[in-house]
Amino acid sequence: MLIDLKEHINLKIPMINKTLKPVIFFTLLIFTSCSDDDCTEAPTEPVAEQCDIPNASFDNFSTITEGSVTYDLPDEWTESNALAFLRGSTGNGFFNKYEGSDASNGLALKLKRSHHPDGNTIESFQKGYIHYACNQIPKKLKGRYKFRGAGDFGTYPEITDTLRVVVKFSSSTNQVSMRELELSDGRSEEMSGNVKILDITSETDIFQDFELDFTEFIDQSSDLVSIHLILKQGRFADAGIPLSFNFANAVIDDLEFEY
């Protein structure tokens, strides 16, 4: 049988370079040497690895230098441009490198919300995100966090800040908008489609696990996914609290989609 196949190759494809014949012969041997019961078709569904979160454990940072200012940003992730001008003037921003023995490989992502240098104006939230192609909706997003809001620092216990994690799966007919990426604080009335929101208000200095469940979206189509990390301030104005005390921070590590 093998000799017949080889002769068949020589007869039907006489101009093929001799160095290619063994490759073709081996390929034909693979596809003709198993019975119908043993042979299976190559998988056509996308593999879960295609949706793995880039730099999910925040092990990779790039050092940026602008004049006399130097700061670190996590690779693959984007800091909202709402306060980008502060980076160039003070180096302060929302995304920061966290270094500690409690972080995986010693590194994680620190989120920092603070007031403007003049102490008189403030963003109601600060955020960053990642947005990339993903055509297979996972069952869950898992990760770890630490969080301290303004109220936890003891000065204004009546204030409840929020660490918000938002995940949106988008299709070609319901794409995520730049407003959702850059300006939205992830509230359901501002984001439509396959969206899940996790609000964390309890402060902790020890890493805690969190997860979002997407099983209700499993049968839906997806072309893109966006993950939003947000620090949302409490109602300072109602409490009559100076804006200069509006600060909070969190640490995020070990993000992972579970399939």
Side-chain angles (χ1 to χ4, degrees):
M1 177 64 179
L2 299 184
I3 294 175
D4 291 340
L5 283 173
K6 190 172 183 181
E7 290 177 352
H8 182 73
I9 295 171
N10 289 329
L11 288 172
K12 297 297 183 181
I13 319 175
M15 298 303 294
I16 291 180
N17 188 296
K18 291 182 179 180
T19 59
L20 298 179
K21 290 179 182 178
V23 178
I24 299 173
F25 171 68
F26 180 69
T27 303
L28 288 174
L29 179 61
I30 291 175
F31 284 97
T32 58
S33 61
C34 58
S35 66
D36 291 340
D37 292 336
D38 294 331
C39 291
T40 57
E41 294 182 358
T44 57
E45 292 297 321
V47 295
E49 286 76 6
Q50 291 177 317
C51 292
D52 283 350
I53 303 169
N55 199 17
S57 292
F58 304 102
D59 295 332
N60 302 305
F61 285 79
S62 294
T63 300
I64 312 298
T65 299
E66 297 184 56
S68 61
V69 175
T70 300
Y71 52 91
D72 296 305
L73 290 176
D75 294 349
E76 309 291 345
W77 290 74
T78 300
E79 188 178 51
S80 173
N81 288 322
L83 297 176
F85 69 93
L86 287 179
R87 281 295 195 187
S89 59
T90 68
N92 295 326
F94 185 60
F95 279 162
N96 301 270
K97 181 192 290 185
Y98 175 87
E99 299 178 274
S101 58
D102 56 348
S104 296
N105 300 318
L107 292 176
L109 177 64
K110 183 175 183 178
L111 312 179
K112 183 180 179 182
R113 193 195 70 227
S114 58
H115 59 81
H116 287 229
D118 59 16
N120 295 318
T121 56
I122 191 68
E123 292 294 322
S124 63
F125 69 93
Q126 291 180 1
K127 74 175 293 185
Y129 59 88
I130 193 169
H131 182 219
Y132 65 99
C134 174
N135 58 0
Q136 187 175 8
I137 296 180
K139 295 178 181 177
K140 294 180 180 180
L141 168 68
K142 292 186 174 182
R144 301 193 303 150
Y145 76 95
K146 298 198 296 185
F147 173 58
R148 294 191 74 189
D152 185 54
F153 287 91
T155 307
Y156 299 106
E158 62 268 49
I159 296 301
T160 301
D161 289 333
T162 302
L163 166 61
R164 180 169 292 169
V165 181
V166 182
V167 179
K168 176 173 179 174
F169 298 96
S170 309
S171 66
S172 56
T173 57
N174 184 26
Q175 299 182 32
V176 64
S177 67
M178 286 307 299
R179 176 177 177 80
E180 289 173 331
L181 289 176
E182 289 282 343
L183 299 175
S184 172
D185 67 357
R187 293 177 296 180
S188 58
E189 60 266 29
E190 293 183 4
M191 300 183 75
S192 61
N194 296 332
V195 181
K196 273 300 182 74
I197 301 172
L198 173 66
D199 280 345
I200 297 171
T201 57
S202 57
E203 292 88 355
T204 174
D205 289 324
I206 301 174
F207 271 114
Q208 304 291 327
D209 296 332
F210 74 85
E211 67 176 45
L212 281 82
D213 188 286
F214 311 123
T215 52
E216 65 187 272
F217 304 145
I218 290 296
D219 295 330
Q220 303 296 314
S221 62
S222 173
D223 299 308
L224 300 160
V225 62
S226 57
I227 303 174
H228 311 245
L229 303 176
I230 301 165
L231 286 177
K232 175 74 175 177
Q233 75 171 41
R235 300 183 65 84
F236 275 73
D238 291 349
I241 296 171
L243 292 172
S244 59
F245 287 94
N246 180 31
F247 50 84
N249 60 63
V251 181
I252 302 293
D253 201 7
D254 296 330
L255 296 180
E256 180 185 12
F257 279 149
E258 180 182 289
Y259 285 88

